Amino acid sequence: LSSLTAPEFAAGVRSWLDDHAGELHGNRHRSPASLEHAFADESRFHRMLHDAGWSRWGWPEELGGLGGSPVLRAVLHEEVTAAGYAVPESMLTIEVIGPTIAKYRPDLAALHLPAFLRGDEIWCQGFSEPDAGSDLASLRTRAILQGDSFRINGQKVWTSYGQLSRWCVLLARTGTPESRHRGITAFWLDLQAPGVTVRPIACANGRNELAEVFLDDVVVPSAAVIGEVDRGWDPVMYLMQFERGGFAWGRQGWLHARLSDLLAAANGDRIAAAASAAGEAWLTLAALRERVWQTVVRLADGESPGPEISVDKLLLSGAEQLVYDAGRLLDDGALEFGDDDASAVFRTDWFFSRMVSVYGGAAEVQRDIVAERLMGLPRSR
Ligand SMILES: Cc1cc2nc3c(=O)[nH]c(=O)nc-3n(C[C@H](O)[C@H](O)[C@H](O)COP(=O)(O)OP(=O)(O)OC[C@H]3O[C@@H](n4cnc5c(N)ncnc54)[C@H](O)[C@@H]3O)c2cc1C
């Protein structure tokens, strides 16, 4: 079975989804409920995909998977979306953090990844701070070695799903304040440890998408270091590639489905009014899809795309905003006045699409990377 080809895998997923269509009816749309309820609603689907084995393919057997190429994970997302279902958000978060822990701490991954794959746990990234976002290398959360553990003090902010998470990949300064990215260490933090306080942040889209994490004399064992002390930048750069790989692949599938649904539901007048916006969204999605598929395959082959990955991020955030702006024209008034569940979901998604050009590196910064590192243009500052 570990030699299962992508077409065989896709056919298996399709027929399983077909057989379970009755049970999965509620997963055809995202829930208009709070983030916390939406995760709970989706967890049954997450668990079903796990128990049937589908979401374990593409992960190594020693980490709770069933083996096979990581590309199978992208094929699963494709089939779930093509069948009209929303891939559980908790499954997309695995695509970002899972590969990094698997590479830098396979022992921790063997311990914790099975629970993440089952949908019993969610993990988060504690990188950004109130004064360190685009300039992440200036972060000030401090970790001081005392015996065989570190004592950590500081604050993180904009932590996606922080209030729902059990574990956090945390960045803290172990070098001098001037050491920038050369003095940062990544830790595997237990969010239930004494001294950790997590507070959800209510966002404009009506959901608690983000959280603040306060660290007050938190003791973390040396064994929780991810990679090497003072070398936390390496796992973070590695992780960023997967946010633009497997995660972006899942996201583009969802955006394609949304735009198709919006077009199918609109009447002729609305389609005429939205034609140009919908066309631009469709073309950007097509470019995103081609690009991200290449990234998924390159990452599966063990390549490191490096700064080129900024192109994927720009296409992803651009496409998401274009889709929802086209949707606003296609479903006139839903954003502002709609009071049904579909309008509530659209409103949540439209406001979220405003945030996507910020997470994982703001669009302005990504354009700088493309200009300077890919095109060789002079530095802007
Ligand atoms: C939805 C969402 C989810 C997120 N999830 C997480 C998470 O899970 N974990 C985590 O650690 N963080 C997360 N973040 C935080 C995100 O990584 C930061 O918001 C981002 O890096 C920008 O940092 P900042 O907010 O401090 O803005 P700043 O860095 O202060 O930037 C403010 C503005 O200045 C511009 N700017 C800054 N520097 C330059 C420059 N050199 N050239 C041109 N323009 C520049 C930026 O583009 C931006 O428009 C998330 C953010 C969002 C919106």
Side-chain angles (χ1 to χ4, degrees):
L1 274 175
S2 58
S3 61
L4 196 69
T5 64
E8 286 164 351
F9 178 78
V13 174
R14 267 200 300 278
S15 99
W16 183 86
L17 287 170
D18 223 24
D19 292 346
H20 292 80
E23 285 166 79
L24 294 174
H25 184 69
N27 298 92
R28 289 209 171 269
H29 303 285
R30 284 222 195 276
S31 161
S34 67
L35 185 78
E36 291 77 359
H37 279 99
F39 263 86
D41 283 352
E42 291 176 353
S43 66
R44 192 180 62 101
F45 187 21
H46 186 144
R47 176 59 85 100
M48 282 172 73
L49 287 169
H50 172 275
D51 290 352
W54 301 119
S55 60
R56 295 171 65 201
W57 285 102
W59 292 101
E61 289 174 54
E62 58 279 17
L63 306 184
L66 293 175
S69 163
V71 167
L72 296 181
R73 306 197 311 250
V75 174
L76 172 63
H77 294 165
E78 176 83 349
E79 290 303 327
V80 168
T81 312
Y85 300 106
V87 176
E89 285 182 57
S90 48
M91 277 177 62
L92 291 184
T93 65
I94 302 179
E95 290 302 323
V96 183
I97 308 179
T100 305
I101 303 302
K103 176 177 167 72
Y104 285 88
R105 285 298 304 268
D107 57 329
L108 283 180
L111 213 55
H112 298 286
L113 194 67
F116 203 177
L117 290 179
R118 269 197 311 275
D120 291 349
E121 282 182 0
I122 300 170
W123 305 347
C124 63
Q125 307 163 51
F127 304 163
S128 306
E129 298 184 358
D131 294 317
S134 301
D135 186 16
L136 189 59
S138 66
L139 65 83
R140 289 197 299 224
T141 291
R142 193 93 182 97
I144 297 175
L145 183 62
Q146 291 181 343
D148 62 359
S149 55
F150 287 84
R151 193 168 285 270
I152 304 184
N153 283 284
Q155 186 200 336
K156 296 290 163 181
V157 73
W158 318 130
T159 311
S160 294
Y161 313 128
Q163 76 280 18
L164 298 168
S165 295
R166 177 68 177 81
W167 297 93
C168 177
V169 176
L170 182 93
L171 291 185
R173 184 159 302 286
T174 36
T176 63
E178 303 75 40
S179 58
R180 304 269 309 158
H181 65 280
R182 284 179 215 87
I184 291 172
T185 300
F187 294 92
W188 181 244
L189 174 72
D190 179 352
L191 286 172
Q192 292 177 0
V196 178
T197 309
V198 183
R199 288 198 202 130
I201 299 174
C203 296
N205 72 347
R207 303 207 306 182
N208 298 332
E209 300 279 353
L210 306 163
E212 296 176 284
V213 179
F214 298 89
L215 303 141
D216 189 10
D217 263 340
V218 179
V219 176
V220 173
S222 303
V225 169
I226 301 168
E228 291 174 41
V229 172
D230 288 342
R231 298 284 302 273
W233 207 248
D234 299 347
V236 169
M237 291 299 113
Y238 187 77
L239 178 148
M240 286 295 171
Q241 304 183 108
F242 288 87
E243 190 178 82
R244 289 100 199 251
F247 173 83
W249 179 256
R251 217 52 218 163
Q252 66 78 31
W254 165 247
L255 293 172
H256 260 286
R258 291 300 288 133
L259 186 56
S260 304
D261 291 349
L262 286 160
L263 282 165
N267 65 32
D269 286 350
R270 296 312 326 157
I271 290 181
S276 164
E280 195 184 351
W282 199 264
L283 282 177
T284 310
L285 275 176
L288 171 69
R289 186 176 168 80
E290 285 305 308
R291 174 77 189 188
V292 173
W293 180 251
Q294 287 171 29
T295 301
V296 165
V297 171
R298 290 176 72 185
L299 288 169
D301 286 346
E303 277 186 52
S304 246
E308 287 176 43
I309 215 85
S310 291
V311 174
D312 303 45
K313 178 68 190 14
L314 284 166
L315 283 170
L316 175 61
S317 52
E320 186 145 353
Q321 292 179 351
L322 288 166
V323 165
Y324 285 101
D325 283 342
R328 194 175 174 185
L329 295 173
L330 286 165
D331 196 357
D332 195 24
L335 178 81
E336 297 83 357
F337 308 114
D339 57 5
D340 54 355
D341 278 1
S343 301
V345 171
F346 182 75
R347 200 174 294 122
T348 298
D349 288 348
W350 186 87
F351 274 102
F352 187 80
S353 72
R354 304 304 102 176
M355 307 202 264
V356 299
S357 49
V358 177
Y359 74 73
E364 293 80 1
V365 174
Q366 302 306 313
R367 284 192 206 102
D368 267 356
I369 294 172
V370 171
E372 291 165 13
R373 299 186 57 191
L374 299 184
M375 301 170 73
L377 296 176
R379 286 179 73 83
S380 60
R381 55 195 182 281

